[in-house]
Amino acid sequence: MKLNTKTKYSCVGFASSAAALGLVAMAMICPGVDGAFAADETTESNNLTVGFDVRAPQENVELFTGNLNVSFTVNPYIEISQNPQDVAITAAGPTSDGLTQTGSTPFAVRTNSSTGFDVYVTADNNLLSPTDASNPAAINPIAASNTALTAFGKNTWGYSVTDSGTNATTYRTITDKTKAYAKSGFSSTATNLQLNFGTKVDDTLPSDTYSTTVKVSAVLSGAEVANLVSAEPSAQSDDFATEDEGYVEDDYSYDYGYNEYGY
């Protein structure tokens, strides 16, 4: 009896073991919904691309265009580019018929104006006045413009504006307020000019130095010049003209030294 009982228990244990193994296999094949019975915890993932393709319609496409105007404004300017140089002339030993003397100084005008420029010459004092206050004499302006040096009256003076290196053939009176020189059209380079002076004195003029200050004004052609040709033209501190003014000025001192003894 003991032998049979022991054998029976062994079979039941084996059967129970087989059943347990079967349950485990079922759990592996059919895991529960909540995963409590899942035997493999491995997870897998992958990427999913989501794209939106936006395209223009193939037909009835409308294009919108507009015009844009681009402009660049270049304001006119004018300058006297060389510093003024004083003119000093000495007349030694004038005669009763009169002695003529000349002198000159260079200057240059540059402008980007398409119309060109004009040059005016004025003086605060039209006379060449003596340095000695006790001397009552003076050298007067010539009577009229376009006067040759040989036709000057005694003890008179005049001026002329010419191209650089060109001697004056006739002279202007400083009392003439019209333009002394004109150049039309545009030039990319400066115009080199020359301010000339001529004087004729005789032996009746006391020995002294006679002088005045002349003002040279470069003006855009067509610019307002009323304030330039007055008795006392207004000075301009800057070499470059503003758009409203359209001119520049420079001062030149003209000295005529008369030594009756020739030294």
Side-chain angles (χ1 to χ4, degrees):
M1 289 295 291
K2 291 180 180 178
L3 180 61
N4 292 338
T5 301
K6 184 177 181 180
T7 302
K8 182 179 180 181
Y9 287 152
S10 297
C11 291
V12 171
F14 178 79
S16 298
S17 299
L21 291 173
L23 291 174
V24 172
M26 287 296 292
M28 295 175 62
I29 297 172
C30 304
V33 176
D34 58 2
F37 299 98
D40 188 356
E41 297 180 355
T42 301
T43 59
E44 295 183 359
S45 62
N46 204 345
N47 296 325
L48 178 62
T49 300
V50 178
F52 297 90
D53 192 6
V54 180
R55 298 183 180 181
Q58 299 301 315
E59 298 179 357
N60 300 324
V61 177
E62 294 184 7
L63 300 178
F64 296 93
T65 61
N67 296 323
L68 177 64
N69 181 38
V70 180
S71 63
F72 297 90
T73 300
V74 179
N75 289 330
Y77 80 91
I78 188 168
E79 64 173 334
I80 297 177
S81 59
Q82 291 183 247
N83 293 327
Q85 300 176 15
D86 291 346
V87 180
I89 304 172
T90 300
T95 65
S96 59
D97 293 333
L99 174 68
T100 58
Q101 294 282 69
T102 62
S104 64
T105 184
F107 69 101
V109 177
R110 185 172 185 177
T111 179
N112 65 344
S113 172
S114 59
T115 61
F117 66 91
D118 303 326
V119 174
Y120 290 81
V121 179
T122 56
D124 294 345
N125 180 11
N126 296 332
L127 302 176
L128 299 184
S129 300
T131 301
D132 185 356
S134 64
N135 181 2
I139 301 177
N140 298 298
I142 56 177
S145 294
N146 301 319
T147 301
L149 185 62
T150 55
F152 275 28
K154 295 178 181 180
N155 302 325
T156 61
W157 73 283
Y159 79 93
S160 177
V161 177
T162 61
D163 292 321
S164 179
T166 303
N167 295 326
T169 56
T170 61
Y171 291 81
R172 295 169 55 89
T173 174
I174 196 65
T175 59
D176 186 347
K177 305 304 182 181
T178 62
K179 70 184 69 172
Y181 183 94
K183 183 173 182 178
S184 61
F186 169 78
S187 176
S188 60
T189 59
T191 301
N192 295 313
L193 300 174
Q194 187 170 290
L195 179 59
N196 309 283
F197 296 99
T199 312
K200 183 177 182 179
V201 296
D202 65 10
D203 56 4
T204 65
L205 190 70
S207 176
D208 205 339
T209 296
Y210 300 81
S211 65
T212 191
T213 298
V214 297
K215 192 180 303 293
V216 178
S217 304
V219 184
L220 297 177
S221 293
E224 175 61 45
V225 295
N227 59 337
L228 294 180
V229 297
S230 61
E232 296 185 0
S234 59
Q236 180 168 314
S237 60
D238 191 51
D239 276 347
F240 291 89
T242 66
E243 185 177 1
D244 293 334
E245 292 171 333
Y247 69 91
V248 290
E249 299 173 339
D250 234 337
D251 292 335
Y252 295 76
S253 178
Y254 177 39
D255 295 336
Y256 189 94
Y258 166 44
N259 188 327
E260 61 180 333
Y261 300 106
Y263 58 88

